[in-house]
Amino acid sequence: MRYLVAVRFGPDGAISVAGDEITISIKSQPERGKANRELVKRLSEHFGVPEASVKIVSGLASRKKIVEIK
């Protein structure tokens, strides 16, 4: 399934899912892929799937991303 993900930067770690839209708060800064790696890790934990099942389809350098979760 594909989701539109809005990324916020902050310490609270909140995740909210509404249909096919996810808002997630992450701590890592967008430097050298750190934020994207944390995003994949957090989504895999939330949905109970391996990290390899979470793929950022578009928006690698954006706060709005399309993510596929198998």
Side-chain angles (χ1 to χ4, degrees), residues 9 11 22 24 26 38-40 42 47 49-50 56 58-60 64:
F9 296 97
I22 299 171
I24 185 168
I26 59 175
E38 181 182 348
L39 173 70
V40 168
R42 299 274 319 286
F47 286 98
V49 298
I56 300 173
S58 68
L60 284 171
K64 299 275 185 179

Side-chain angles (χ1 to χ4, degrees), residues 28-63:
S28 297
Q29 294 300 311
E31 300 170 343
R32 291 179 261 164
K34 287 181 184 178
N36 287 335
R37 285 191 298 274
E38 181 182 348
L39 173 70
V40 168
K41 181 179 179 185
R42 299 274 319 286
L43 289 175
S44 72
E45 290 170 354
H46 181 78
F47 286 98
V49 298
E51 288 183 30
S53 295
V54 179
K55 178 181 177 186
I56 300 173
V57 177
S58 68
L60 284 171
S62 173
R63 287 182 183 222

Side-chain angles (χ1 to χ4, degrees), residues 1-5 15-24 46-47:
M1 175 156 209
R2 287 190 178 194
Y3 294 91
L4 173 62
V5 178
I15 296 177
S16 67
V17 180
D20 63 350
E21 295 185 17
I22 299 171
T23 302
I24 185 168
H46 181 78
F47 286 98

